[in-house]
Amino acid sequence: MAKFIIFSCNFPLIFLLSSFYFLTLQPISSSSLKSLNNNPNFDSEIALFGDAEPVDAGSYVNITRPSVSSSGLLLRQKPFKFLDANLSSPTSFSTEFTFSMTPGSGDGLLLVLASKDFGSTFSGKGPFGLNGENRFLGIEFDTEMNGNVNDLNANHIGVDVGSFVSLTVGNVSSLNLELNSGEKLKSWIDYVASSKRLEIRLSKLGEPRPYNPITAYGIDLLGMWKNEDVYVGISSSNSNGNSSQISSVYSWSFRLRNIPNSMHSLPVNPRGYLDEHGEHLSVHKRRVCPLTVLAGMIFVTGCGALVAFMVLFLWAIIISRHTVFPAEFPVKPVDFRYEKINVVVEKDADSVKM
């Protein structure tokens, strides 16, 4: 009886401790963040892990905190396949997101694709919290200079495959932009499976989508993952001892596209296609550049002048072949010889009658 009383007295405490333990094992998912679900700037499948938390009633997300060893992850919980039996061609994707990073040193921001649900194993240790993950594709928005991993400077975008050694690098400074200025920036990342080409674009928020990518890389993601499930997320971390950078994401959309193999056009805005649910997305209108119009007018005028010159040239040749000119003979001087002729008249006497 005494043992039962002791157990009943400790039961509420055991229940609370057990509940707290199981809650700490569960990731912070978007299903429990109603304010984030109601934000049209984010897809509904997004879940939050680590230090990632909604700010300002869910209007945006801070992935990291201004503290050392802070890391967070936004994960799209719905996986996809590059080789889908229901599609006639390999899967392509387009994604765009708006972000900012406060001044200071930090690992930056990483868009990552991996073949397993790395959100469930997100440890928050190592760069971008991907400790032990060696099969991934990462597009790194780096604000730290590290020559050991082919960093160009402390303001670049790199493409990483399986490690953080960048295979190709784009200089953000060439766009007159700074990743960790605190300014809101927008990035477009497109992959076309038919051409096996990955392109990354970047601009200030509110500016049109750039025509030329800041960097591009050829990679066969279908050969890398075949028909495996692939997850995509946005991660950030402060792994340095003196890092206090805050990485924020204000919008994020991810769309799958199915492009026939016969089409090898460059990636375009993901909102100009049908998404995987068959919903039509608005087309982004490209502004007309005055210099392009002027160059076109000059080109057309030059072509017109060239055609007119060729017509006149051919006309002159034809006319010259059919025109008959009168023959001209040379005029030579003629010498005349003058002779003196003496005329003698003789009278016949017999012919005169008297």
Side-chain angles (χ1 to χ4, degrees):
M1 183 69 180
K3 293 181 179 180
F4 176 76
I5 294 174
I6 294 174
F7 176 78
S8 61
C9 292
N10 292 333
F11 179 77
L13 180 60
I14 295 174
F15 177 77
L16 291 174
L17 292 176
S18 300
S19 301
F20 178 77
Y21 174 76
F22 284 108
L23 285 175
T24 55
L25 294 179
Q26 299 295 325
I28 303 174
S29 65
S30 59
S31 60
S32 62
L33 301 172
K34 298 180 180 180
S35 58
L36 186 58
N37 283 336
N38 294 331
N39 190 338
N41 295 324
F42 289 90
D43 291 340
S44 59
E45 302 93 355
I46 293 177
L48 307 180
F49 296 87
D51 293 333
E53 59 180 7
V55 181
D56 194 14
S59 61
Y60 66 97
V61 175
N62 280 345
I63 304 181
T64 55
R65 297 177 297 182
S67 61
V68 179
S69 301
S70 176
S71 62
L73 171 68
L74 275 73
L75 178 68
R76 186 177 185 267
Q77 291 183 305
K78 184 179 180 180
F80 69 96
K81 299 178 184 292
F82 282 99
L83 183 61
D84 195 332
N86 298 324
L87 300 177
S88 59
S89 59
T91 301
S92 303
F93 70 82
S94 292
T95 183
E96 60 183 54
F97 58 94
T98 305
F99 67 96
S100 69
M101 287 181 279
T102 60
S105 62
D107 295 331
L109 204 68
L110 181 78
L111 179 85
V112 58
L113 286 82
S115 58
K116 67 179 182 180
D117 185 3
F118 51 91
S120 60
T121 59
F122 185 76
S123 63
K125 299 179 181 179
F128 303 104
L130 299 178
N131 188 26
E133 181 63 39
N134 56 7
R135 277 187 72 213
F136 68 89
L137 167 68
I139 293 88
E140 182 181 3
F141 298 78
D142 200 350
T143 60
E144 184 180 20
M145 172 61 186
N146 187 350
N148 296 327
V149 292
N150 294 341
D151 285 352
L152 180 65
N153 51 29
N155 189 42
H156 68 272
I157 296 176
V159 177
D160 308 331
V161 179
S163 70
F164 292 107
V165 178
S166 297
L167 301 178
T168 184
V169 178
N171 187 7
V172 178
S173 299
S174 64
L175 303 178
N176 294 323
L177 298 175
E178 189 174 356
L179 292 173
N180 59 347
S181 65
E183 185 178 24
K184 291 183 181 180
L185 304 175
K186 188 171 184 177
S187 178
W188 296 263
I189 300 174
D190 305 283
Y191 176 73
V192 176
S194 58
S195 59
K196 301 176 184 179
R197 181 177 173 86
L198 180 72
E199 294 186 350
I200 301 98
R201 291 171 171 81
L202 182 70
S203 72
K204 292 182 181 179
L205 179 62
E207 293 185 353
R209 169 190 168 97
Y211 181 77
N212 296 319
I214 183 174
T215 187
Y217 185 70
I219 183 172
D220 184 9
L221 296 182
L222 174 61
M224 182 175 177
W225 282 307
K226 297 181 175 61
N227 62 342
E228 296 182 60
D229 286 338
V230 178
Y231 293 82
V232 59
I234 298 178
S235 178
S236 182
S237 63
N238 294 331
S239 59
N240 294 332
N242 58 351
S243 178
S244 60
Q245 191 177 81
I246 301 176
S247 299
S248 303
V249 176
Y250 303 90
S251 66
W252 181 28
S253 64
F254 185 87
R255 296 290 178 266
L256 301 178
R257 298 186 287 122
N258 183 242
I259 301 176
N261 291 327
S262 59
M263 296 179 61
H264 292 272
S265 59
L266 294 177
V268 296
N269 195 327
R271 299 188 183 278
Y273 286 86
L274 298 179
D275 63 11
E276 64 268 32
H277 302 294
E279 299 176 356
H280 184 74
L281 301 173
S282 61
V283 179
H284 177 74
K285 296 181 179 179
R286 182 176 294 172
R287 296 181 180 179
V288 178
C289 179
L291 294 178
T292 303
V293 176
L294 179 61
M297 294 177 63
I298 294 174
F299 177 76
V300 172
T301 304
C303 290
L306 180 61
V307 170
F309 175 78
M310 293 298 296
V311 170
L312 293 176
F313 181 75
L314 294 175
W315 179 260
I317 293 176
I318 294 172
I319 293 300
S320 64
R321 287 185 177 181
H322 292 80
T323 302
V324 178
F325 296 95
E328 295 182 357
F329 297 95
V331 179
K332 297 181 178 180
V334 179
D335 295 333
F336 294 94
R337 186 176 59 180
Y338 298 93
E339 294 181 0
K340 184 178 181 181
I341 300 175
N342 295 324
V343 179
V344 178
V345 179
E346 293 180 359
K347 287 185 178 183
D348 187 3
D350 296 335
S351 63
V352 179
K353 291 182 180 183
M354 297 298 295

